[in-house]
Amino acid sequence: MASTSLPVVARIAFLTADVVVDSLPTPPTVSLYAQKYNILSTTSTHKPRVISIPFGADPGSTLIRNTSNLTSFTASASSQVLTRLVLHLGEISALPIVLHLAVRDDLSDVLLLRSAVPFFLLSTTAQQAHDNALLAARLARIESKAVVHAFYADSPAESLDEIPEEKILPFLLSAIHPNSPRATNGHTTSLPTNGVNGHGHANGHAPSTDDQGSINLYKAYEAAALDTLSLLRRPLRPFTSQGSPEPHTVIFTLGKENLPTDIAGISFVSITLANPLPHSRLLHNIPSSATRIIVLEQVYRWHSKWTPLYLEVVSALQHRSSEQDIVIQSGILGDTSNVQEPDILNLISKSTTSPSSRLLLGMVPAQGSAADALPHVPKHEAAYTKILAHLFNERLEISNSPYLVATQGEIATTPEYALGRVRGQLDSRADFVNTVQELLQDGDIDDDLHSLLAKWVLAKDDVVKSSTLGKAIVDALESAPVDHPASNKILTLREFLPSRSRWIIGSDAWSYDLGSSGLHHAIASGLNINILILDTLPYSSRNNIDPHRRKHDVGLYAMNHGDVFVASVAVFSSYSQVLQSLTEADRFDGPSVVLAYLPYQSEDASALDILKETKLAVDSGYWPLYRWDPSKEKVGQEPFSLDSDAVKNDLKQFLDRQNHLSQLVRSKPQMATELVSSLGETVKEARKKRAQESYAALLSTLDAPPLLILYASDGGAAEKKAKRLENRAKARGLSTTIATLDSYTLETLPEDEHVVFITSTAGQGEPPQNGRTFLKALNAAALRGDEILKKIRFSVFAMGDSHYWPRPEDAHYYNKPGKDLDSRLAKLGAERFVDLGLGDDQDADGSETGYKLWEPLLWKALGVDSVEVTEAEPEPITNEHIKAASGFLRGTIAEGLEDFSTGALAPSDGQLTKFHGIYQQDDRDIREEREAQGVEPAYSFMIRVRMPGGVCKPDQWLQMDQISDEHGSGTFKITTRQTFQFHGVIKRHLKPAIQDINRVLLDTLAACGDVNRNVICSSIPTMSKLHEQVFNFAKEVSNHLIPRTTAYHEIWLDKKLVAGEALKDFEPLYGEFYLPRKFKVAVAVPPTNDVDVFANDLGFIAVVGDNGELKGFNVAIGGGMGVTHGNKKTYPRLASVIGFCTPEQGKYVAEKVMLVQRDHGNRVDRKNARLKYTVDRMGLDVYKAEVEKLLGYPLGPTQPFTFDRNVDDYGWHTGSDGKHHFTLFIENGRVEDAPGRDFKTGLREIAKVHKGTFRLTANQHILVSDIADEDLDQIKGLLRQYKLDNLEFTGLRLSSSACVAFPTCGLAMAESERYLPILVDKVEKICEENGLRHDSIIMRMTGCPNGCARPYVAEIAFVGKAPGNYSMLLGGGYYGQRLNKIYRESVTEPEILAILRPMIKRYALERLEGERFGDFTIRAGYIAPTTEGRLWYEHSGGEGVHREGATELTAAA
């Protein structure tokens, strides 16, 4: 049951109307109407169209455009909404519309509508609001006239009697009641039929004072009230009279009151029907004994002298037949909750002693101060206002700033008022310029002042010069006063000296009704004013608004004006484009309109949600990014600039296709002769082959039943099974078709007789991406009860992992898509010819165990189980086949790069490009949207640079920065492999990007793939000589292990093989198969383990001699992070130390360790192919022996070493060579410009002047290194200017790290880089509450279990399992010396915070001296320590009372 009257009215408004128009309140307030509508839309059978319009928009035009049998308008009564309604009431009043207006404690605004609408009802209780809402709906529908229903929103809805939904529509559609209502008691309000109180007429005719229109409206009200009475069994009275039957005083009330009515000589009449208000009805309630009338109305802000009800009563009394004089007074009805009989008597006494003063009964609620009334500015708008403040600083003037309300009133924030202010300011400045020129004419001023004034006049619009010269003029006039009136005026109006950047910021509502809005006036004014219009409508809600209001079309309207600068921007899409647009708008001499996209439903929306909505809107073309500068036309330049990469790429592809087509229609096609020379023979051969294949297929399928195989697969496992099943079906003579689930519709499915479905499970029991649309349609049809698949026979094989969601309450997620598919198909009438098959990854052979039981049943049901298959089944193509057949990593990459019909490469080439440092990806934020549009995914590529040791020069940094802008997404990533990574590179930009990388002597070869990848080393800013030695060692190892294929230079750098390809490639280390899996090398320098050396396949731990020189390295092998959820054959492992080598031996040791892995690694199962599994399978001693055998000598004994941390050393450090280094914090390694954090620009400016180097850290941060003393101040200044020297972060944030994950990583199951900062915000508050602000706690997050951010050695880690769902791990070593362990298999954010809050508090109170958080969780009994990788799963889920489910078990016991 609803708690107040507002949801009660919202329910009736929804259930009675065909169209509901909801006027939204001012942000951040959420519409309570909308909340109720959202609930009703899922629970009610009635489905009206709901249209939401933003605050400030004109609701009248929407109501007029959306007329229906009955339209409900709902809003909270405010002056801005109601004054806009008044303009349209002439049209609205003749339409079947009910305007439900919620008031708080004042009827001043809503009574503005009373005289302009046929009917006006007022409800003061929740029950009355419910009943009057029904009455209003009936009245509006029958009479086709508007009804205003005002009600008090906060009236409690206790003991409410609501009409069931099924009775409402019949009530509205019932026939008109044939009889007029008749009196039932002394308080009814029908027109009198006898001479009661001397005011009626015996013949039953109405008094002559009532006009016929008013009589007709009143009778219509009475008829509707009688119909409503028959439904509700409760009377609905327009007037309620209580108190003395022969009073001397009658008190009329209009508003919410609770008065004692048993006072002698006083009658109380409360008004429910405020219009129509026939005079005869008012007189009917004034007995002849009355000598005084008091009219009390709840109007606290009524600015006219006479209130509306008072005027009506006065008019009625003019026609009273009695000759007795009556005194009538008006008053204010306040809060009467504490009014008693003495207060009423005191009111009457005051009316006698002060007949001319306005009376007051009750307390008037306190009105807020001007400061309290400051409009709320939504926090998300700061994304744009901060940029304005950053760009224009002191020049910025927001002409409708909320802070003006305190001095100029509420109207100050309206754009129309602001436009007037701007016009006044510009006129005043023009007058000021005349004053300056007047002073210039004075021959007595000195030359210096004359020069300053003259220069200012010439540069008055210059951003910098006007301010500088202005300060100089003021100083000159104050130091040497000039005896001239203009001098004093200049000093008084000195604010006009600098050139201002004037902005009006408005919501998108200002662009409605363009021809008559303030925006139109601003555009037509020609003033030098900038207008920023914010559009907050999320892309996913775009279909829920009035289609006549495409707000971003205001840009087209402004461009058509011809002399207006127009830009469309989105800060969460392109920050640089926003900066450029705002700068150009400010520079433009004339009106500028900047449309800014900021999609959010409420202030609770996270930045991540806004980012996703923005990407959908921009990439789909819904919100194009562009700039229109008409001033460019005057200099012969193109005025329009399209800045949307997605739109530009689509346009480019379209033009490319058009060019291909134009080649074909030319009379002399310009094609290579070799392309057409043998065309005839080729076509003949192809036709012959096709005919043979068709004939063979015909023979084999004459008697075979057709079979359709539909699959849904994300990772490819279900797809492989489906394709294998297809081959086996064809071998048995079945006519087989295979396709993805989403490529078929429910409508086309009945065309096939036998259908087999194979689906895997994604996320939290969700269907894979290419099956979701089909499943949604299937669920909808099942809910409707359709039986549209009766002709189909089907079987389903489902693939999942029974341990993926181990909690009992999550067990239903196991194979949920397949189970749902099976049950829904049966519900739709399909016949199951083989029972549901279930494949479980936990079985001995994984999903094959269940599949081997299911497939024979399939052949038997189809009658082909006896068919003997003699052909050998083709071996599935694996990565090993692709590598071997690639021609040393060539494949068909070069040909694929020339194919612009798709943004992707062939799947096999996608595997090979990894060896070239390239991953094919697509934007997963918009994958579903593009699929719905029928276009391929938004393919792009990630490029990773090979940069051993993570050191780059300033010119290389500048090139990386430029590449990100010209070829990538405008940002780049510092990875945990100490290098650069670019995202969003489209196919046509791949080759130019890689050529640009090579141009500065860097490359991407072997940055990914089954080879040795980027060799990383400690950054150690203080030990300059030692860093130089380990850095050179890292480069030496990298160069020694790099692949020798020339394919990279051929494909990307256009370096062809010589001698007609007579010389063939040879890989001395890798061979044609390369390695079974990737191979990672790290070099650490104790005591800092910033590279997590034990997490690598091969680790070198530097050992320094007593003389400070590098003595050699301890060698560790077998580390690795990758895991597969639920697969206990996979686990993380820390490297084991096997001995010592000298620096000279290091590269050969690396080679031999790698060769043993090459020869003994698992090439059958890539999930068990890393070196860590080879070490555990062979045994550490055996592996070491193989290495030493290849070396020809034993490794030396392990040397002592100590680590104490793996975080970066932030701040300033001075090396042993006297050079300076600064380690700056880059959260999660993302180098970008954002509001208040122009880090990308700052680092670019540093690179332009820096003479040293940059070092990238394995924790994703940056060192500005090797700064000489003479350059120190300049670098410090730039760091300070761009806030890069800010290290005032919590220890938790400084120690956090995340991989990229969504939207680009194809393996991601959950958010990581975009979400971890949000989670850290919440966890660090817990740390600060417990005094741990500066304590370092290693927290890491990855979007999948592959471990790119090295989560398994963190003290707290979160590994993505599904969107918003993570495995939580605890107990890692602070310096990477111990693996953590799964504490909870599946947690969401609320659960994370609930777990960490008491745990962190206990750590703060009970930790030992110097004890780290990971160590504490073990000592305190939360988690067991992990002693080795193979035992990682043992004791997972917590210990003792902290074990998962222990609380529930204890409670049950």
Side-chain angles (χ1 to χ4, degrees):
M1 182 172 288
S3 58
T4 65
S5 56
L6 194 145
V8 174
V9 173
R11 174 177 177 268
I12 301 298
F14 184 91
L15 296 176
T16 56
D18 298 319
V19 176
V20 178
V21 178
D22 181 32
S23 180
L24 302 178
T26 55
T29 309
V30 177
S31 170
L32 298 178
Y33 293 110
Q35 290 182 345
K36 185 65 176 179
Y37 298 154
N38 290 336
I39 296 170
L40 290 169
S41 64
T42 59
T43 59
S44 171
T45 56
H46 183 64
K47 305 292 182 184
R49 183 180 170 215
V50 179
I51 301 172
S52 298
I53 56 174
F55 182 81
D58 176 13
S61 57
T62 301
L63 288 170
I64 292 168
R65 277 197 298 268
N66 292 280
T67 56
S68 61
N69 292 323
L70 183 64
T71 301
S72 291
F73 173 73
T74 53
S76 294
S78 68
S79 58
Q80 191 162 354
V81 172
L82 298 180
T83 50
R84 290 180 183 274
L85 265 178
V86 168
L87 299 173
H88 300 278
L89 284 181
E91 293 180 76
I92 291 174
S93 62
L95 297 172
I97 297 173
V98 180
L99 297 100
H100 297 283
L101 302 173
V103 298
R104 297 296 171 186
D105 52 16
D106 188 1
L107 300 176
S108 300
D109 293 325
V110 77
L111 284 176
L112 292 172
L113 311 181
R114 189 189 72 88
S115 61
V117 292
F119 303 99
F120 188 108
L121 305 177
L122 177 65
S123 301
T124 58
T125 67
Q127 188 66 65
Q128 193 178 35
H130 170 271
D131 298 350
N132 275 338
L134 281 168
L135 169 59
R138 170 75 175 178
L139 190 56
R141 189 180 181 101
I142 295 297
E143 298 298 321
S144 292
K145 289 182 172 59
V147 180
V148 171
H149 174 218
F151 64 96
Y152 285 83
D154 296 329
S155 299
E158 299 172 359
S159 304
L160 184 71
D161 180 16
E162 289 187 291
I163 290 297
E165 177 182 342
E166 61 270 15
K167 292 186 178 182
I168 291 177
L169 189 59
F171 161 69
L172 292 176
L173 300 178
S174 61
I176 299 174
H177 201 280
N179 301 319
S180 301
R182 292 198 169 273
T184 56
N185 56 47
H187 300 296
T188 61
T189 57
S190 57
L191 290 172
T193 56
N194 53 43
V196 178
N197 294 331
H199 303 301
H201 292 257
N203 57 10
H205 295 293
S208 60
T209 58
D210 295 329
D211 64 88
Q212 191 61 41
S214 177
I215 295 171
N216 293 339
L217 291 174
Y218 191 82
K219 287 184 175 180
Y221 166 82
E222 288 192 309
L226 184 62
D227 293 334
T228 311
L229 169 65
S230 64
L231 172 71
L232 299 174
R233 301 301 175 186
R234 285 187 296 274
L236 289 89
R237 303 186 176 107
F239 307 96
T240 302
S241 180
Q242 296 175 291
S244 173
E246 295 186 359
H248 56 76
T249 301
V250 177
I251 299 178
F252 283 91
T253 60
L254 183 64
K256 187 176 183 180
E257 44 83 8
N258 183 23
L259 300 173
T261 58
D262 54 346
I263 304 175
I266 301 175
S267 172
F268 298 88
V269 181
S270 59
I271 307 293
T272 299
L273 179 67
N275 202 40
L277 203 58
H279 292 162
S280 60
R281 293 296 80 230
L282 288 171
L283 295 174
H284 182 69
N285 286 278
I286 303 175
S288 58
S289 61
T291 59
R292 182 177 301 277
I293 296 174
I294 299 174
V295 180
L296 300 177
E297 299 168 73
Q298 216 149 44
V299 285
Y300 306 142
R301 292 180 289 106
W302 194 262
H303 302 297
S304 301
K305 184 176 181 180
W306 310 115
T307 52
L309 181 59
Y310 174 80
L311 290 175
E312 293 285 358
V313 175
V314 168
S315 297
L317 288 173
Q318 300 299 320
H319 305 283
R320 190 168 186 263
S321 59
S322 174
E323 295 181 359
Q324 183 178 358
D325 290 336
I326 290 185
V327 176
I328 179 168
Q329 288 176 274
S330 70
I332 302 298
L333 180 65
D335 179 3
T336 61
S337 55
N338 296 318
V339 170
Q340 301 296 326
E341 180 178 339
D343 299 307
I344 297 173
L345 296 175
N346 184 50
L347 175 78
I348 296 173
S349 174
K350 188 175 181 180
S351 71
T352 305
T353 58
S354 305
S356 59
S357 62
R358 179 167 287 182
L359 304 174
L360 171 64
L361 180 62
M363 297 292 294
V364 174
Q367 302 296 309
S369 65
D372 294 335
L374 285 180
H376 174 81
V377 178
K379 66 178 182 180
H380 295 303
E381 289 188 12
Y384 287 103
T385 54
K386 281 184 178 179
I387 295 176
L388 289 175
H390 172 71
L391 281 176
F392 306 120
N393 295 316
E394 297 177 355
R395 295 182 55 236
L396 177 65
E397 182 171 312
I398 297 177
S399 300
N400 61 335
S401 169
Y403 299 106
L404 296 171
V405 170
T407 57
Q408 301 183 33
E410 185 179 343
I411 196 173
T413 60
T414 62
E416 295 86 350
Y417 179 84
L419 181 61
R421 282 190 73 235
V422 171
R423 182 180 288 279
Q425 290 170 343
L426 292 176
D427 289 345
S428 297
R429 192 167 196 253
D431 183 53
F432 180 81
V433 173
N434 293 333
T435 302
V436 173
Q437 291 174 334
E438 180 185 341
L439 186 58
L440 275 170
Q441 303 304 316
D442 187 355
D444 295 334
I445 63 174
D446 62 56
D447 293 342
D448 290 342
L449 179 58
H450 189 280
S451 175
L452 287 172
L453 292 171
K455 288 179 179 177
W456 182 87
V457 170
L458 294 173
K460 65 181 182 298
D461 296 323
D462 186 278
V463 173
V464 178
K465 292 180 180 179
S466 64
S467 179
T468 305
L469 291 168
K471 291 177 182 178
I473 290 170
V474 171
D475 292 342
L477 289 174
E478 288 181 339
S479 60
V482 177
D483 187 16
H484 192 286
S487 173
N488 295 329
K489 190 172 182 180
I490 290 172
L491 288 175
T492 303
L493 301 176
R494 67 183 70 185
E495 63 185 275
F496 292 112
L497 282 165
S499 173
R500 299 285 184 187
S501 181
R502 292 182 170 85
W503 289 82
I504 296 175
I505 301 177
S507 70
D508 44 20
W510 203 33
S511 64
Y512 292 167
D513 308 303
L514 292 171
S516 58
S517 72
L519 181 62
H520 168 79
H521 296 302
I523 290 172
S525 70
L527 298 175
N528 190 8
I529 180 67
N530 306 300
I531 303 157
L532 181 70
I533 295 179
L534 301 174
D535 189 332
T536 60
L537 179 71
Y539 176 78
S540 56
S541 304
R542 66 195 184 282
N543 295 324
N544 298 338
I545 63 159
D546 185 349
H548 294 86
R549 288 179 169 159
R550 283 175 49 85
K551 294 174 281 276
H552 44 287
D553 284 351
V554 67
L556 183 60
Y557 175 85
M559 282 190 282
N560 282 334
H561 202 272
D563 58 354
V564 181
F565 175 89
V566 185
S568 176
V569 303
V571 70
F572 282 85
S573 176
S574 177
Y575 178 70
S576 59
Q577 192 254 355
V578 175
L579 294 179
Q580 188 173 5
S581 299
L582 296 179
T583 304
E584 291 180 4
D586 175 63
R587 193 164 55 233
F588 183 77
D589 185 17
S592 300
V593 176
V594 179
L595 305 171
Y597 196 49
L598 191 66
Y600 65 94
Q601 292 280 21
S602 69
E603 285 205 85
D604 295 331
S606 67
L608 181 56
D609 293 333
I610 299 175
L611 172 67
K612 290 180 177 180
E613 289 286 350
T614 302
K615 288 185 66 176
L616 283 171
V618 173
D619 291 345
S620 67
Y622 169 81
W623 189 271
L625 307 182
Y626 62 82
R627 287 166 290 127
W628 167 267
D629 187 351
S631 65
K632 290 184 177 180
E633 280 187 306
K634 298 176 183 177
V635 293
Q637 297 179 359
E638 172 59 45
F640 185 78
S641 300
L642 180 63
D643 299 321
S644 295
D645 286 337
V647 178
K648 281 196 291 190
N649 293 335
D650 290 344
L651 180 61
K652 183 76 168 66
Q653 291 178 10
F654 172 76
L655 293 176
D656 285 344
R657 288 194 293 272
Q658 291 297 95
N659 289 337
H660 294 325
L661 292 171
S662 63
Q663 287 279 4
L664 297 176
V665 300
R666 287 178 181 169
S667 58
K668 294 182 179 179
Q670 299 173 2
M671 297 183 178
T673 54
E674 59 268 22
L675 185 66
V676 296
S677 59
S678 59
L679 183 62
E681 291 301 318
T682 305
V683 170
K684 287 179 183 177
E685 194 65 32
R687 285 177 176 171
K688 184 177 179 180
K689 183 178 179 182
R690 182 67 180 270
Q692 289 175 338
E693 290 176 351
S694 300
Y695 181 68
L698 177 65
L699 290 177
S700 64
T701 58
L702 283 175
D703 299 319
L707 178 66
L708 173 63
I709 302 172
L710 298 179
Y711 66 88
S713 176
D714 272 340
E719 181 180 0
K720 288 178 181 177
K721 274 197 171 42
K723 289 182 176 178
R724 188 177 69 184
L725 183 66
E726 177 198 20
N727 292 331
R728 292 179 177 179
K730 287 181 177 179
R732 286 167 172 76
L734 298 176
S735 174
T736 309
T737 305
I738 187 169
T740 62
L741 262 180
D742 279 353
S743 64
Y744 267 67
T745 65
L746 279 181
E747 290 71 25
T748 58
L749 197 60
E751 298 172 6
D752 294 273
E753 182 180 351
H754 294 89
V755 187
V756 169
F757 299 87
I758 299 179
T759 179
S760 57
T761 306
Q764 202 160 5
E766 298 164 359
Q769 199 82 30
N770 54 4
R772 292 183 181 180
T773 302
F774 183 89
L775 262 295
K776 286 177 183 177
L778 195 70
N779 288 332
L783 284 173
R784 293 193 301 267
D786 300 342
E787 291 195 0
I788 56 176
L789 303 180
K790 289 184 176 180
K791 297 180 180 179
I792 288 182
R793 303 182 71 218
F794 76 95
S795 180
V796 177
F797 183 76
M799 299 166 60
D801 184 341
S802 58
H803 287 190
Y804 196 83
W805 302 101
R807 297 188 304 187
E809 61 267 32
D810 295 335
H812 64 286
Y813 294 135
Y814 167 60
N815 268 324
K816 187 174 185 296
K819 292 176 180 177
D820 288 349
L821 185 62
D822 183 76
S823 63
R824 302 293 189 276
L825 289 167
K827 191 171 183 179
L828 294 178
E831 178 189 350
R832 187 184 296 107
F833 70 90
V834 175
D835 287 340
L836 172 68
L838 297 178
D840 188 353
D841 286 348
Q842 295 301 317
D843 289 340
D845 292 332
S847 60
E848 278 296 300
T849 303
Y851 183 83
K852 289 174 182 176
L853 299 174
W854 173 81
E855 187 186 295
L857 300 176
L858 184 69
W859 305 139
K860 185 174 182 179
L862 293 171
V864 294
D865 53 320
S866 59
V867 175
E868 184 179 353
V869 179
T870 56
E871 295 181 20
E873 188 171 315
E875 187 179 351
I877 297 175
T878 66
N879 284 57
E880 298 303 310
H881 295 97
I882 293 171
K883 287 184 284 187
S886 69
F888 293 97
L889 308 182
R890 287 174 177 80
T892 57
I893 296 173
E895 293 82 354
L897 292 173
E898 298 301 320
D899 178 11
F900 296 118
S901 65
T902 174
L905 292 172
S908 59
D909 289 336
Q911 296 298 323
L912 295 176
T913 54
K914 295 177 183 179
F915 292 80
H916 299 255
I918 299 163
Y919 273 82
Q920 180 174 297
Q921 302 175 329
D922 76 286
D923 192 332
R924 296 177 64 181
D925 281 347
I926 59 173
R927 185 186 283 176
E928 284 190 57
E929 182 66 26
R930 291 182 67 86
E931 186 174 339
Q933 294 173 352
V935 295
E936 72 175 9
Y939 289 116
S940 64
F941 295 83
M942 179 271 281
I943 300 176
R944 188 179 295 155
V945 178
R946 184 178 68 93
M947 193 170 67
V951 177
C952 80
K953 299 174 183 177
D955 65 316
Q956 293 172 327
W957 182 280
L958 290 172
Q959 185 78 321
M960 300 302 107
D961 182 275
Q962 183 177 341
I963 289 168
S964 70
D965 287 334
E966 293 183 355
H967 305 299
S969 61
T971 72
F972 55 94
K973 173 94 170 173
I974 307 300
T975 77
T976 54
R977 296 305 300 174
Q978 224 170 18
T979 186
F980 299 104
Q981 195 162 285
F982 304 101
H983 293 270
V985 182
I986 61 173
K987 188 161 74 172
R988 69 173 65 252
H989 280 267
L990 268 179
K991 199 167 183 176
I994 290 180
Q995 289 175 345
D996 286 347
I997 292 170
N998 280 264
R999 197 165 285 122
V1000 288
L1001 305 181
L1002 294 173
D1003 62 48
T1004 64
L1005 178 60
C1008 320
D1010 298 340
V1011 288
N1012 173 57
R1013 298 192 176 185
N1014 198 52
V1015 180
I1016 61 177
C1017 76
S1018 291
S1019 300
I1020 47 172
T1022 55
M1023 296 178 278
S1024 305
K1025 184 177 181 180
L1026 188 57
H1027 177 266
E1028 183 180 3
Q1029 290 174 326
V1030 296
F1031 168 58
N1032 288 329
F1033 176 78
K1035 288 197 297 183
E1036 185 179 20
V1037 171
S1038 179
N1039 292 333
H1040 185 69
L1041 301 182
I1042 196 167
R1044 304 303 176 191
T1045 177
T1046 59
Y1048 182 84
H1049 298 84
E1050 289 174 35
I1051 295 170
W1052 308 109
L1053 307 180
D1054 296 326
K1055 294 183 179 179
K1056 304 298 182 183
L1057 277 173
V1058 297
E1061 301 186 7
L1063 297 177
K1064 297 296 182 182
D1065 269 341
F1066 172 66
E1067 286 285 8
L1069 294 181
Y1070 293 104
E1072 63 177 349
F1073 290 98
Y1074 292 86
L1075 299 181
R1077 284 288 267 122
K1078 57 190 172 185
F1079 187 79
K1080 296 182 177 181
V1081 180
V1083 185
V1085 180
T1088 302
N1089 186 20
D1090 55 346
V1091 295
D1092 273 327
V1093 68
F1094 299 115
N1096 290 264
D1097 296 89
L1098 172 61
F1100 291 100
I1101 303 167
V1103 178
V1104 181
D1106 295 336
N1107 59 357
E1109 296 292 326
L1110 180 63
K1111 181 179 177 182
F1113 300 94
N1114 287 321
V1115 180
I1117 63 169
M1121 293 286 97
V1123 173
T1124 299
H1125 282 313
N1127 185 349
K1128 293 188 177 180
K1129 295 178 183 177
T1130 66
Y1131 49 83
R1133 188 187 192 279
L1134 294 184
S1136 306
V1137 179
I1138 60 172
F1140 174 83
C1141 71
T1142 65
E1144 295 75 24
Q1145 296 171 333
K1147 66 180 179 182
Y1148 301 109
V1149 171
E1151 174 192 319
K1152 306 313 178 188
V1153 170
M1154 189 181 79
L1155 292 182
V1156 175
Q1157 164 66 356
R1158 181 197 69 185
D1159 296 338
H1160 295 85
N1162 186 342
R1163 293 183 181 270
V1164 176
D1165 184 0
R1166 286 182 65 81
K1167 292 181 179 180
N1168 278 94
R1170 287 288 295 275
L1171 184 142
K1172 59 182 175 180
Y1173 303 115
T1174 310
V1175 168
D1176 281 346
R1177 190 175 66 255
M1178 294 176 63
L1180 184 64
D1181 291 340
V1182 174
Y1183 199 106
K1184 176 184 177 182
E1186 287 293 322
V1187 172
E1188 291 177 335
K1189 178 181 177 182
L1190 293 176
L1191 282 171
Y1193 55 83
L1195 295 171
T1198 302
Q1199 304 293 304
F1201 65 93
T1202 302
F1203 288 121
D1204 62 14
R1205 64 189 182 280
N1206 68 1
V1207 295
D1208 292 330
D1209 296 322
Y1210 296 102
W1212 284 104
H1213 301 277
T1214 302
S1216 55
D1217 60 354
K1219 297 288 183 69
H1220 305 281
H1221 311 262
F1222 183 79
T1223 307
L1224 53 95
F1225 173 71
I1226 301 292
E1227 190 159 29
N1228 298 321
R1230 179 63 61 183
V1231 180
E1232 63 180 343
D1233 283 340
R1237 295 182 291 115
D1238 292 328
F1239 292 171
K1240 187 167 180 282
T1241 299
L1243 287 164
R1244 183 193 312 127
E1245 295 304 312
I1246 290 172
K1248 289 177 181 178
V1249 300
H1250 187 33
K1251 302 184 181 87
T1253 60
F1254 293 92
R1255 299 183 194 174
L1256 312 187
T1257 79
N1259 288 317
Q1260 302 177 300
H1261 305 301
I1262 300 169
L1263 278 79
V1264 184
S1265 291
D1266 302 314
I1267 307 167
D1269 290 339
E1270 60 270 21
D1271 301 322
L1272 193 57
D1273 289 341
Q1274 184 181 26
I1275 298 297
K1276 282 186 175 181
L1278 288 169
L1279 289 170
R1280 190 182 313 111
Q1281 178 182 346
Y1282 292 98
K1283 301 179 183 178
L1284 288 163
D1285 61 348
N1286 179 23
L1287 297 174
E1288 291 300 314
F1289 301 102
T1290 62
L1292 178 73
R1293 191 175 296 274
L1294 292 171
S1295 307
S1296 65
S1297 184
C1299 68
V1300 176
F1302 290 141
T1304 52
C1305 179
L1307 301 174
M1309 302 172 181
E1311 293 283 358
S1312 182
E1313 179 190 329
R1314 300 192 298 192
Y1315 171 59
L1316 182 60
I1318 298 172
L1319 181 62
V1320 170
D1321 286 343
K1322 299 174 181 180
V1323 177
E1324 69 184 359
K1325 287 180 182 176
I1326 299 173
C1327 293
E1328 290 176 327
E1329 289 168 2
N1330 291 283
L1332 301 177
R1333 173 177 173 79
H1334 300 293
D1335 288 73
S1336 173
I1337 299 176
I1338 310 296
M1339 178 187 284
R1340 293 176 182 166
M1341 176 178 284
T1342 57
C1344 76
N1346 290 305
C1348 293
R1350 305 190 297 273
Y1352 304 112
V1353 288
E1355 295 179 287
I1356 307 173
F1358 302 99
V1359 178
K1361 299 190 76 173
N1365 213 299
Y1366 300 83
S1367 289
M1368 181 177 182
L1369 300 93
L1370 294 176
Y1374 180 70
Y1375 51 88
Q1377 82 282 15
R1378 180 180 61 246
L1379 291 171
N1380 54 27
K1381 193 182 291 288
I1382 297 173
Y1383 181 68
R1384 293 290 182 265
E1385 284 279 3
S1386 172
V1387 290
T1388 58
E1389 183 181 288
E1391 293 169 314
I1392 291 170
L1393 299 177
I1395 291 170
L1396 288 179
R1397 187 176 297 279
M1399 193 180 293
I1400 290 173
K1401 181 177 182 179
R1402 187 178 171 194
Y1403 170 60
L1405 295 173
E1406 300 178 14
R1407 60 178 171 167
L1408 304 177
E1409 182 69 28
E1411 186 176 32
R1412 294 294 177 180
F1413 185 81
D1415 301 328
F1416 169 78
T1417 58
I1418 293 172
R1419 183 179 65 82
Y1422 287 102
I1423 198 77
T1426 302
T1427 54
E1428 64 171 298
R1430 284 179 291 188
L1431 304 179
W1432 188 61
Y1433 293 97
E1434 292 188 7
H1435 303 288
S1436 63
E1439 290 285 281
V1441 295
H1442 304 294
R1443 186 161 186 81
E1444 190 163 14
T1447 305
E1448 291 83 352
L1449 289 173
T1450 303

